Structure formats: C-alpha cells, structure tokens
PDB file of all heavy atoms in Angstrom:
ATOM      1  N   PHE P 607       0.838  -1.190   0.000  1.00  0.00           N
ATOM      2  CA  PHE P 607       0.000   0.000   0.000  1.00  0.00           C
ATOM      3  C   PHE P 607       0.882   1.253   0.000  1.00  0.00           C
ATOM      4  O   PHE P 607       1.819   1.366   0.808  1.00  0.00           O
ATOM      5  CB  PHE P 607      -0.925   0.022   1.216  1.00  0.00           C
ATOM      6  CG  PHE P 607      -1.981  -1.056   1.183  1.00  0.00           C
ATOM      7  CD1 PHE P 607      -2.114  -1.946   2.237  1.00  0.00           C
ATOM      8  CD2 PHE P 607      -2.829  -1.179   0.101  1.00  0.00           C
ATOM      9  CE1 PHE P 607      -3.079  -2.945   2.208  1.00  0.00           C
ATOM     10  CE2 PHE P 607      -3.799  -2.176   0.053  1.00  0.00           C
ATOM     11  CZ  PHE P 607      -3.917  -3.061   1.114  1.00  0.00           C
ATOM     12  N   THR P 608       0.583   2.158  -0.917  1.00  0.00           N
ATOM     13  CA  THR P 608       1.311   3.427  -1.028  1.00  0.00           C
ATOM     14  C   THR P 608       0.282   4.561  -1.081  1.00  0.00           C
ATOM     15  O   THR P 608      -0.923   4.325  -0.929  1.00  0.00           O
ATOM     16  CB  THR P 608       2.162   3.456  -2.309  1.00  0.00           C
ATOM     17  OG1 THR P 608       1.288   3.516  -3.453  1.00  0.00           O
ATOM     18  CG2 THR P 608       3.064   2.231  -2.411  1.00  0.00           C
ATOM     19  N   SER P 609       0.740   5.760  -1.346  1.00  0.00           N
ATOM     20  CA  SER P 609      -0.194   6.879  -1.470  1.00  0.00           C
ATOM     21  C   SER P 609      -0.716   7.044  -2.892  1.00  0.00           C
ATOM     22  O   SER P 609      -1.596   7.866  -3.131  1.00  0.00           O
ATOM     23  CB  SER P 609       0.470   8.185  -1.017  1.00  0.00           C
ATOM     24  OG  SER P 609       1.553   8.519  -1.872  1.00  0.00           O
ATOM     25  N   GLY P 610      -0.187   6.278  -3.846  1.00  0.00           N
ATOM     26  CA  GLY P 610      -0.650   6.385  -5.222  1.00  0.00           C
ATOM     27  C   GLY P 610       0.421   5.917  -6.193  1.00  0.00           C
ATOM     28  O   GLY P 610       1.508   5.479  -5.790  1.00  0.00           O
ATOM     29  N   THR P 611       0.118   6.029  -7.478  1.00  0.00           N
ATOM     30  CA  THR P 611       1.047   5.569  -8.509  1.00  0.00           C
ATOM     31  C   THR P 611       2.394   6.266  -8.411  1.00  0.00           C
ATOM     32  O   THR P 611       3.447   5.637  -8.571  1.00  0.00           O
ATOM     33  CB  THR P 611       0.439   5.809  -9.905  1.00  0.00           C
ATOM     34  OG1 THR P 611      -0.832   5.146  -9.979  1.00  0.00           O
ATOM     35  CG2 THR P 611       1.340   5.275 -11.000  1.00  0.00           C
ATOM     36  N   THR P 612       2.385   7.562  -8.166  1.00  0.00           N
ATOM     37  CA  THR P 612       3.642   8.314  -8.064  1.00  0.00           C
ATOM     38  C   THR P 612       4.535   7.741  -6.974  1.00  0.00           C
ATOM     39  O   THR P 612       5.734   7.496  -7.187  1.00  0.00           O
ATOM     40  CB  THR P 612       3.357   9.799  -7.788  1.00  0.00           C
ATOM     41  OG1 THR P 612       2.578  10.341  -8.859  1.00  0.00           O
ATOM     42  CG2 THR P 612       4.648  10.595  -7.650  1.00  0.00           C
ATOM     43  N   ALA P 613       3.961   7.515  -5.799  1.00  0.00           N
ATOM     44  CA  ALA P 613       4.744   6.951  -4.691  1.00  0.00           C
ATOM     45  C   ALA P 613       5.222   5.546  -5.026  1.00  0.00           C
ATOM     46  O   ALA P 613       6.345   5.152  -4.669  1.00  0.00           O
ATOM     47  CB  ALA P 613       3.905   6.939  -3.416  1.00  0.00           C
ATOM     48  N   SER P 614       4.397   4.773  -5.720  1.00  0.00           N
ATOM     49  CA  SER P 614       4.773   3.398  -6.062  1.00  0.00           C
ATOM     50  C   SER P 614       5.977   3.368  -6.990  1.00  0.00           C
ATOM     51  O   SER P 614       6.917   2.580  -6.790  1.00  0.00           O
ATOM     52  CB  SER P 614       3.587   2.686  -6.715  1.00  0.00           C
ATOM     53  OG  SER P 614       2.501   2.569  -5.820  1.00  0.00           O
ATOM     54  N   ILE P 615       5.964   4.215  -8.015  1.00  0.00           N
ATOM     55  CA  ILE P 615       7.089   4.237  -8.958  1.00  0.00           C
ATOM     56  C   ILE P 615       8.345   4.767  -8.270  1.00  0.00           C
ATOM     57  O   ILE P 615       9.453   4.255  -8.484  1.00  0.00           O
ATOM     58  CB  ILE P 615       6.726   5.069 -10.204  1.00  0.00           C
ATOM     59  CG1 ILE P 615       5.572   4.389 -10.960  1.00  0.00           C
ATOM     60  CG2 ILE P 615       7.941   5.225 -11.127  1.00  0.00           C
ATOM     61  CD1 ILE P 615       5.022   5.204 -12.108  1.00  0.00           C
ATOM     62  N   ASN P 616       8.180   5.775  -7.427  1.00  0.00           N
ATOM     63  CA  ASN P 616       9.336   6.277  -6.680  1.00  0.00           C
ATOM     64  C   ASN P 616       9.910   5.211  -5.763  1.00  0.00           C
ATOM     65  O   ASN P 616      11.130   5.137  -5.571  1.00  0.00           O
ATOM     66  CB  ASN P 616       8.930   7.514  -5.872  1.00  0.00           C
ATOM     67  CG  ASN P 616       9.070   8.803  -6.650  1.00  0.00           C
ATOM     68  OD1 ASN P 616      10.136   9.417  -6.679  1.00  0.00           O
ATOM     69  ND2 ASN P 616       7.995   9.218  -7.311  1.00  0.00           N
ATOM     70  N   LEU P 617       9.051   4.371  -5.201  1.00  0.00           N
ATOM     71  CA  LEU P 617       9.531   3.293  -4.346  1.00  0.00           C
ATOM     72  C   LEU P 617      10.423   2.332  -5.121  1.00  0.00           C
ATOM     73  O   LEU P 617      11.475   1.901  -4.638  1.00  0.00           O
ATOM     74  CB  LEU P 617       8.338   2.546  -3.733  1.00  0.00           C
ATOM     75  CG  LEU P 617       8.639   1.315  -2.885  1.00  0.00           C
ATOM     76  CD1 LEU P 617       9.652   1.614  -1.785  1.00  0.00           C
ATOM     77  CD2 LEU P 617       7.353   0.760  -2.288  1.00  0.00           C
ATOM     78  N   VAL P 618      10.029   2.016  -6.347  1.00  0.00           N
ATOM     79  CA  VAL P 618      10.861   1.143  -7.179  1.00  0.00           C
ATOM     80  C   VAL P 618      12.165   1.842  -7.559  1.00  0.00           C
ATOM     81  O   VAL P 618      13.248   1.252  -7.517  1.00  0.00           O
ATOM     82  CB  VAL P 618      10.106   0.704  -8.450  1.00  0.00           C
ATOM     83  CG1 VAL P 618      10.992  -0.180  -9.323  1.00  0.00           C
ATOM     84  CG2 VAL P 618       8.827  -0.036  -8.081  1.00  0.00           C
ATOM     85  N   ALA P 619      12.061   3.123  -7.916  1.00  0.00           N
ATOM     86  CA  ALA P 619      13.248   3.871  -8.331  1.00  0.00           C
ATOM     87  C   ALA P 619      14.267   3.966  -7.194  1.00  0.00           C
ATOM     88  O   ALA P 619      15.470   3.736  -7.400  1.00  0.00           O
ATOM     89  CB  ALA P 619      12.853   5.268  -8.802  1.00  0.00           C
ATOM     90  N   TYR P 620      13.789   4.289  -5.997  1.00  0.00           N
ATOM     91  CA  TYR P 620      14.701   4.478  -4.872  1.00  0.00           C
ATOM     92  C   TYR P 620      15.048   3.153  -4.190  1.00  0.00           C
ATOM     93  O   TYR P 620      16.172   2.968  -3.713  1.00  0.00           O
ATOM     94  CB  TYR P 620      14.086   5.443  -3.852  1.00  0.00           C
ATOM     95  CG  TYR P 620      14.184   6.889  -4.273  1.00  0.00           C
ATOM     96  CD1 TYR P 620      13.239   7.449  -5.120  1.00  0.00           C
ATOM     97  CD2 TYR P 620      15.231   7.690  -3.831  1.00  0.00           C
ATOM     98  CE1 TYR P 620      13.322   8.770  -5.518  1.00  0.00           C
ATOM     99  CE2 TYR P 620      15.336   9.013  -4.218  1.00  0.00           C
ATOM    100  CZ  TYR P 620      14.381   9.554  -5.061  1.00  0.00           C
ATOM    101  OH  TYR P 620      14.481  10.860  -5.466  1.00  0.00           O
ATOM    102  N   GLY P 621      14.082   2.238  -4.117  1.00  0.00           N
ATOM    103  CA  GLY P 621      14.312   0.998  -3.390  1.00  0.00           C
ATOM    104  C   GLY P 621      15.021  -0.070  -4.200  1.00  0.00           C
ATOM    105  O   GLY P 621      15.745  -0.900  -3.642  1.00  0.00           O
ATOM    106  N   TYR P 622      14.835  -0.042  -5.520  1.00  0.00           N
ATOM    107  CA  TYR P 622      15.484  -1.048  -6.365  1.00  0.00           C
ATOM    108  C   TYR P 622      16.583  -0.432  -7.229  1.00  0.00           C
ATOM    109  O   TYR P 622      17.738  -0.830  -7.156  1.00  0.00           O
ATOM    110  CB  TYR P 622      14.461  -1.753  -7.252  1.00  0.00           C
ATOM    111  CG  TYR P 622      15.093  -2.844  -8.092  1.00  0.00           C
ATOM    112  CD1 TYR P 622      15.231  -4.124  -7.574  1.00  0.00           C
ATOM    113  CD2 TYR P 622      15.599  -2.589  -9.360  1.00  0.00           C
ATOM    114  CE1 TYR P 622      15.847  -5.131  -8.313  1.00  0.00           C
ATOM    115  CE2 TYR P 622      16.216  -3.576 -10.109  1.00  0.00           C
ATOM    116  CZ  TYR P 622      16.339  -4.843  -9.588  1.00  0.00           C
ATOM    117  OH  TYR P 622      16.960  -5.823 -10.317  1.00  0.00           O
ATOM    118  N   ALA P 623      16.215   0.549  -8.061  1.00  0.00           N
ATOM    119  CA  ALA P 623      17.187   1.080  -9.024  1.00  0.00           C
ATOM    120  C   ALA P 623      18.379   1.728  -8.337  1.00  0.00           C
ATOM    121  O   ALA P 623      19.530   1.535  -8.756  1.00  0.00           O
ATOM    122  CB  ALA P 623      16.499   2.074  -9.958  1.00  0.00           C
ATOM    123  N   MET P 624      18.128   2.504  -7.291  1.00  0.00           N
ATOM    124  CA  MET P 624      19.232   3.153  -6.585  1.00  0.00           C
ATOM    125  C   MET P 624      20.184   2.129  -5.975  1.00  0.00           C
ATOM    126  O   MET P 624      21.377   2.392  -5.805  1.00  0.00           O
ATOM    127  CB  MET P 624      18.692   4.067  -5.485  1.00  0.00           C
ATOM    128  CG  MET P 624      18.030   5.328  -5.976  1.00  0.00           C
ATOM    129  SD  MET P 624      19.234   6.550  -6.578  1.00  0.00           S
ATOM    130  CE  MET P 624      18.179   8.006  -6.652  1.00  0.00           C
ATOM    131  N   LYS P 625      19.667   0.957  -5.656  1.00  0.00           N
ATOM    132  CA  LYS P 625      20.479  -0.064  -5.001  1.00  0.00           C
ATOM    133  C   LYS P 625      21.276  -0.897  -5.995  1.00  0.00           C
ATOM    134  O   LYS P 625      22.437  -1.241  -5.730  1.00  0.00           O
ATOM    135  CB  LYS P 625      19.568  -0.971  -4.166  1.00  0.00           C
ATOM    136  CG  LYS P 625      20.310  -2.014  -3.343  1.00  0.00           C
ATOM    137  CD  LYS P 625      19.340  -2.781  -2.448  1.00  0.00           C
ATOM    138  CE  LYS P 625      20.091  -3.778  -1.568  1.00  0.00           C
ATOM    139  NZ  LYS P 625      19.143  -4.534  -0.681  1.00  0.00           N
ATOM    140  N   TYR P 626      20.702  -1.172  -7.142  1.00  0.00           N
ATOM    141  CA  TYR P 626      21.308  -2.160  -8.031  1.00  0.00           C
ATOM    142  C   TYR P 626      21.881  -1.602  -9.337  1.00  0.00           C
ATOM    143  O   TYR P 626      22.736  -2.250  -9.954  1.00  0.00           O
ATOM    144  CB  TYR P 626      20.288  -3.265  -8.358  1.00  0.00           C
ATOM    145  CG  TYR P 626      19.944  -4.092  -7.157  1.00  0.00           C
ATOM    146  CD1 TYR P 626      18.716  -3.950  -6.523  1.00  0.00           C
ATOM    147  CD2 TYR P 626      20.854  -5.006  -6.631  1.00  0.00           C
ATOM    148  CE1 TYR P 626      18.393  -4.701  -5.404  1.00  0.00           C
ATOM    149  CE2 TYR P 626      20.547  -5.755  -5.508  1.00  0.00           C
ATOM    150  CZ  TYR P 626      19.315  -5.596  -4.898  1.00  0.00           C
ATOM    151  OH  TYR P 626      19.018  -6.329  -3.783  1.00  0.00           O
ATOM    152  N   LEU P 627      21.450  -0.439  -9.769  1.00  0.00           N
ATOM    153  CA  LEU P 627      21.992   0.094 -11.024  1.00  0.00           C
ATOM    154  C   LEU P 627      23.354   0.718 -10.797  1.00  0.00           C
ATOM    155  O   LEU P 627      23.650   1.240  -9.715  1.00  0.00           O
ATOM    156  CB  LEU P 627      21.035   1.108 -11.645  1.00  0.00           C
ATOM    157  CG  LEU P 627      20.060   0.507 -12.684  1.00  0.00           C
ATOM    158  CD1 LEU P 627      19.207  -0.593 -12.082  1.00  0.00           C
ATOM    159  CD2 LEU P 627      19.193   1.588 -13.300  1.00  0.00           C
ATOM    160  N   LYS P 628      24.189   0.667 -11.823  1.00  0.00           N
ATOM    161  CA  LYS P 628      25.548   1.203 -11.762  1.00  0.00           C
ATOM    162  C   LYS P 628      25.735   2.262 -12.836  1.00  0.00           C
ATOM    163  O   LYS P 628      24.916   2.422 -13.749  1.00  0.00           O
ATOM    164  CB  LYS P 628      26.565   0.076 -11.947  1.00  0.00           C
ATOM    165  CG  LYS P 628      26.429  -1.088 -10.976  1.00  0.00           C
ATOM    166  CD  LYS P 628      27.524  -2.120 -11.162  1.00  0.00           C
ATOM    167  CE  LYS P 628      27.473  -2.785 -12.519  1.00  0.00           C
ATOM    168  NZ  LYS P 628      26.258  -3.603 -12.709  1.00  0.00           N
ATOM    169  N   GLU P 629      26.827   2.961 -12.719  1.00  0.00           N
ATOM    170  CA  GLU P 629      27.157   3.986 -13.707  1.00  0.00           C
ATOM    171  C   GLU P 629      27.201   3.358 -15.108  1.00  0.00           C
ATOM    172  O   GLU P 629      27.821   2.311 -15.317  1.00  0.00           O
ATOM    173  CB  GLU P 629      28.499   4.630 -13.383  1.00  0.00           C
ATOM    174  CG  GLU P 629      28.865   5.777 -14.319  1.00  0.00           C
ATOM    175  CD  GLU P 629      30.150   6.472 -13.907  1.00  0.00           C
ATOM    176  OE1 GLU P 629      30.711   6.103 -12.842  1.00  0.00           O
ATOM    177  OE2 GLU P 629      30.599   7.371 -14.644  1.00  0.00           O
ATOM    178  N   GLY P 630      26.552   4.017 -16.052  1.00  0.00           N
ATOM    179  CA  GLY P 630      26.531   3.527 -17.420  1.00  0.00           C
ATOM    180  C   GLY P 630      25.359   2.625 -17.748  1.00  0.00           C
ATOM    181  O   GLY P 630      25.074   2.375 -18.927  1.00  0.00           O
ATOM    182  N   ASP P 631      24.659   2.103 -16.714  1.00  0.00           N
ATOM    183  CA  ASP P 631      23.465   1.307 -16.973  1.00  0.00           C
ATOM    184  C   ASP P 631      22.380   2.191 -17.589  1.00  0.00           C
ATOM    185  O   ASP P 631      22.368   3.414 -17.391  1.00  0.00           O
ATOM    186  CB  ASP P 631      22.937   0.678 -15.676  1.00  0.00           C
ATOM    187  CG  ASP P 631      23.798  -0.484 -15.200  1.00  0.00           C
ATOM    188  OD1 ASP P 631      24.596  -0.989 -16.005  1.00  0.00           O
ATOM    189  OD2 ASP P 631      23.675  -0.868 -14.026  1.00  0.00           O
ATOM    190  N   GLU P 632      21.456   1.561 -18.292  1.00  0.00           N
ATOM    191  CA  GLU P 632      20.444   2.334 -19.021  1.00  0.00           C
ATOM    192  C   GLU P 632      19.034   2.008 -18.545  1.00  0.00           C
ATOM    193  O   GLU P 632      18.700   0.863 -18.241  1.00  0.00           O
ATOM    194  CB  GLU P 632      20.536   2.038 -20.517  1.00  0.00           C
ATOM    195  CG  GLU P 632      19.539   2.838 -21.358  1.00  0.00           C
ATOM    196  CD  GLU P 632      19.624   2.499 -22.830  1.00  0.00           C
ATOM    197  OE1 GLU P 632      19.366   1.317 -23.179  1.00  0.00           O
ATOM    198  OE2 GLU P 632      19.948   3.385 -23.629  1.00  0.00           O
ATOM    199  N   ILE P 633      18.209   3.054 -18.496  1.00  0.00           N
ATOM    200  CA  ILE P 633      16.770   2.942 -18.231  1.00  0.00           C
ATOM    201  C   ILE P 633      16.052   3.432 -19.473  1.00  0.00           C
ATOM    202  O   ILE P 633      16.334   4.535 -19.970  1.00  0.00           O
ATOM    203  CB  ILE P 633      16.360   3.801 -17.015  1.00  0.00           C
ATOM    204  CG1 ILE P 633      17.143   3.385 -15.770  1.00  0.00           C
ATOM    205  CG2 ILE P 633      14.854   3.707 -16.773  1.00  0.00           C
ATOM    206  CD1 ILE P 633      17.075   4.391 -14.638  1.00  0.00           C
ATOM    207  N   LEU P 634      15.138   2.632 -20.000  1.00  0.00           N
ATOM    208  CA  LEU P 634      14.396   3.010 -21.197  1.00  0.00           C
ATOM    209  C   LEU P 634      12.978   3.435 -20.841  1.00  0.00           C
ATOM    210  O   LEU P 634      12.270   2.753 -20.084  1.00  0.00           O
ATOM    211  CB  LEU P 634      14.338   1.844 -22.184  1.00  0.00           C
ATOM    212  CG  LEU P 634      15.625   1.495 -22.935  1.00  0.00           C
ATOM    213  CD1 LEU P 634      15.378   0.291 -23.846  1.00  0.00           C
ATOM    214  CD2 LEU P 634      16.127   2.690 -23.742  1.00  0.00           C
ATOM    215  N   LEU P 635      12.553   4.558 -21.421  1.00  0.00           N
ATOM    216  CA  LEU P 635      11.203   5.091 -21.259  1.00  0.00           C
ATOM    217  C   LEU P 635      10.621   5.336 -22.650  1.00  0.00           C
ATOM    218  O   LEU P 635      11.210   4.956 -23.645  1.00  0.00           O
ATOM    219  CB  LEU P 635      11.244   6.420 -20.484  1.00  0.00           C
ATOM    220  CG  LEU P 635      12.108   6.484 -19.219  1.00  0.00           C
ATOM    221  CD1 LEU P 635      12.185   7.915 -18.715  1.00  0.00           C
ATOM    222  CD2 LEU P 635      11.539   5.567 -18.147  1.00  0.00           C
ATOM    223  N   THR P 636       9.444   5.993 -22.715  1.00  0.00           N
ATOM    224  CA  THR P 636       8.927   6.494 -23.989  1.00  0.00           C
ATOM    225  C   THR P 636       8.549   7.956 -23.826  1.00  0.00           C
ATOM    226  O   THR P 636       8.411   8.453 -22.705  1.00  0.00           O
ATOM    227  CB  THR P 636       7.679   5.720 -24.475  1.00  0.00           C
ATOM    228  OG1 THR P 636       6.524   6.165 -23.738  1.00  0.00           O
ATOM    229  CG2 THR P 636       7.853   4.223 -24.331  1.00  0.00           C
ATOM    230  N   GLU P 637       8.350   8.620 -24.942  1.00  0.00           N
ATOM    231  CA  GLU P 637       7.949  10.028 -24.924  1.00  0.00           C
ATOM    232  C   GLU P 637       6.559  10.231 -24.335  1.00  0.00           C
ATOM    233  O   GLU P 637       6.206  11.345 -23.952  1.00  0.00           O
ATOM    234  CB  GLU P 637       7.963  10.604 -26.340  1.00  0.00           C
ATOM    235  CG  GLU P 637       9.319  10.693 -26.987  1.00  0.00           C
ATOM    236  CD  GLU P 637       9.200  11.161 -28.427  1.00  0.00           C
ATOM    237  OE1 GLU P 637       8.962  12.372 -28.643  1.00  0.00           O
ATOM    238  OE2 GLU P 637       9.316  10.315 -29.329  1.00  0.00           O
ATOM    239  N   ALA P 638       5.764   9.176 -24.286  1.00  0.00           N
ATOM    240  CA  ALA P 638       4.372   9.295 -23.858  1.00  0.00           C
ATOM    241  C   ALA P 638       4.194   9.166 -22.355  1.00  0.00           C
ATOM    242  O   ALA P 638       3.067   9.250 -21.856  1.00  0.00           O
ATOM    243  CB  ALA P 638       3.520   8.237 -24.559  1.00  0.00           C
ATOM    244  N   GLU P 639       5.281   8.992 -21.594  1.00  0.00           N
ATOM    245  CA  GLU P 639       5.151   8.721 -20.163  1.00  0.00           C
ATOM    246  C   GLU P 639       4.714   9.953 -19.374  1.00  0.00           C
ATOM    247  O   GLU P 639       5.095  11.085 -19.665  1.00  0.00           O
ATOM    248  CB  GLU P 639       6.466   8.192 -19.597  1.00  0.00           C
ATOM    249  CG  GLU P 639       6.964   6.909 -20.242  1.00  0.00           C
ATOM    250  CD  GLU P 639       5.928   5.816 -20.292  1.00  0.00           C
ATOM    251  OE1 GLU P 639       5.238   5.592 -19.282  1.00  0.00           O
ATOM    252  OE2 GLU P 639       5.803   5.174 -21.360  1.00  0.00           O
ATOM    253  N   HIS P 640       3.935   9.680 -18.345  1.00  0.00           N
ATOM    254  CA  HIS P 640       3.540  10.683 -17.351  1.00  0.00           C
ATOM    255  C   HIS P 640       4.775  11.101 -16.553  1.00  0.00           C
ATOM    256  O   HIS P 640       5.731  10.340 -16.414  1.00  0.00           O
ATOM    257  CB  HIS P 640       2.490  10.068 -16.430  1.00  0.00           C
ATOM    258  CG  HIS P 640       1.819  11.012 -15.495  1.00  0.00           C
ATOM    259  ND1 HIS P 640       2.415  11.466 -14.342  1.00  0.00           N
ATOM    260  CD2 HIS P 640       0.590  11.586 -15.531  1.00  0.00           C
ATOM    261  CE1 HIS P 640       1.581  12.267 -13.700  1.00  0.00           C
ATOM    262  NE2 HIS P 640       0.469  12.361 -14.397  1.00  0.00           N
ATOM    263  N   ALA P 641       4.755  12.309 -16.029  1.00  0.00           N
ATOM    264  CA  ALA P 641       5.882  12.807 -15.231  1.00  0.00           C
ATOM    265  C   ALA P 641       6.269  11.848 -14.109  1.00  0.00           C
ATOM    266  O   ALA P 641       7.448  11.721 -13.759  1.00  0.00           O
ATOM    267  CB  ALA P 641       5.538  14.179 -14.645  1.00  0.00           C
ATOM    268  N   SER P 642       5.271  11.165 -13.543  1.00  0.00           N
ATOM    269  CA  SER P 642       5.543  10.243 -12.445  1.00  0.00           C
ATOM    270  C   SER P 642       6.355   9.038 -12.879  1.00  0.00           C
ATOM    271  O   SER P 642       6.929   8.339 -12.036  1.00  0.00           O
ATOM    272  CB  SER P 642       4.222   9.766 -11.827  1.00  0.00           C
ATOM    273  OG  SER P 642       3.517  10.855 -11.261  1.00  0.00           O
ATOM    274  N   ASN P 643       6.390   8.784 -14.194  1.00  0.00           N
ATOM    275  CA  ASN P 643       7.202   7.685 -14.699  1.00  0.00           C
ATOM    276  C   ASN P 643       8.384   8.191 -15.527  1.00  0.00           C
ATOM    277  O   ASN P 643       8.934   7.459 -16.343  1.00  0.00           O
ATOM    278  CB  ASN P 643       6.351   6.726 -15.542  1.00  0.00           C
ATOM    279  CG  ASN P 643       7.005   5.372 -15.719  1.00  0.00           C
ATOM    280  OD1 ASN P 643       7.724   4.891 -14.836  1.00  0.00           O
ATOM    281  ND2 ASN P 643       6.787   4.753 -16.873  1.00  0.00           N
TER     282      ASN P 643
END
C-alpha cells in the first residue's frame, strides 16, 4: 500500500534502481510517459 502511482514508482526507483543500477546502466522510457514515470 502506497499513497498512489507516483509513490509506487518512486519506491521502485529508490528501493530497487538506486540499489542495483551502476554507472553507465540504461533505463528506457517512452515520450508518452507521465511525469511520475
């Protein structure tokens, strides 16, 4: 349970990506994404 989609995505970004991604790793998005993503 979170406060909403924004908090959920931030939880993944800070709880997973910040822990496991390294310099030079890539994250792919699309131009159509909401600011929260």
Side-chain angles (χ1 to χ4, degrees):
F607 292 125
T608 69
S609 64
T611 303
T612 300
S614 296
I615 296 173
N616 272 273
L617 176 53
V618 179
Y620 282 84
Y622 183 87
M624 288 286 194
K625 185 175 183 180
Y626 293 106
L627 266 59
K628 305 184 296 294
E629 184 175 356
D631 286 344
E632 182 182 62
I633 302 165
L634 287 179
L635 314 172
T636 78
E637 294 175 75
E639 301 309 315
H640 189 282
S642 297
N643 198 32

